[in-house]
């Protein structure tokens, strides 16, 4: 199972961001998931300058199990890494999804992904 998932898609040709997602086929084997998510800004990728006067736009990570949203997590580019625990109740397909909100989308990284059985 992947332990690192980066959720941003940047198209240099169009100079634009698009929706970001990562999908897992779990085959109804797991009861819960634990992961950490954080903003990937600044010198990590060199995409953004951290400007204290800039308005921080909230974005959302949607966790989708078998085509149903099971949780919504508020994100912004100044967030500290946050560890999340969520029951996924033996879903078949799990998707992490961040919709594009325009040119101010920020890159996020999900890491330390652990799937659990009860």
């Amino acid at each position: 199972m992947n332990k690192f998932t980066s959720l941003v898609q940047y198209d240099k040709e169009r100079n634009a961001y698009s929706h970001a997602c990562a999908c897992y086929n779990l085959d109804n084997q797991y009861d819960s998931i634990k992961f950490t998510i954080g903003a990937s800004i600044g010198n990590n990728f060199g995409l953004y300058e951290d400007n204290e006067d800039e308005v921080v736009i909230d974005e959302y990570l949607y966790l989708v199990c078998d085509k149903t949203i099971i949780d919504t997590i508020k994100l912004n580019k100044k967030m500290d890494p946050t560890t999340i625990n969520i029951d996924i109740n033996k879903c078949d397909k799990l998707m992490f999804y961040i919709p594009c909100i325009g040119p101010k989308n920020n890159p996020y990284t999900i890491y330390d992904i652990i799937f659990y059985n009860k």
Side-chain angles (χ1 to χ4, degrees):
M1 201 54 71
N2 290 354
K3 295 198 177 210
F4 176 89
T5 301
S6 185
L7 286 179
V8 66
Q9 294 177 343
Y10 184 71
D11 183 345
K12 286 185 179 181
E13 299 282 320
R14 297 182 325 162
N15 193 28
Y17 289 91
S18 61
H19 301 299
C21 70
C23 301
Y24 295 89
N25 290 320
L26 302 178
D27 297 323
N28 308 102
Q29 295 182 34
Y30 302 100
D31 296 300
S32 63
I33 182 174
K34 175 181 171 183
F35 61 92
T36 302
I37 185 166
S40 306
I41 62 168
N43 294 330
N44 292 342
F45 295 99
L47 295 176
Y48 298 97
E49 292 181 19
D50 194 15
N51 180 352
E52 289 183 19
D53 297 329
E54 181 181 3
V55 174
V56 176
I57 298 170
D58 290 329
E59 299 173 77
Y60 296 90
L61 166 66
Y62 296 97
L63 250 64
V64 180
C65 281
D66 299 328
K67 300 181 183 179
T68 301
I69 296 172
I70 61 166
D71 206 348
T72 303
I73 300 160
K74 187 175 176 179
L75 310 170
N76 71 60
K77 77 176 199 172
K78 293 187 178 185
M79 70 183 283
D80 290 326
T82 304
T83 300
I84 311 282
N85 293 292
I86 297 175
D87 288 334
I88 57 173
N89 300 319
K90 299 217 183 275
C91 73
D92 185 37
K93 309 245 185 294
L94 174 69
M95 179 173 66
F96 295 92
Y97 174 69
I98 300 176
C100 181
I101 59 169
K104 293 289 186 180
N105 261 64
N106 299 296
Y108 297 94
T109 301
I110 294 175
Y111 56 98
D112 292 340
I113 300 171
I114 302 171
F115 293 90
Y116 293 99
N117 288 318
K118 287 186 179 177

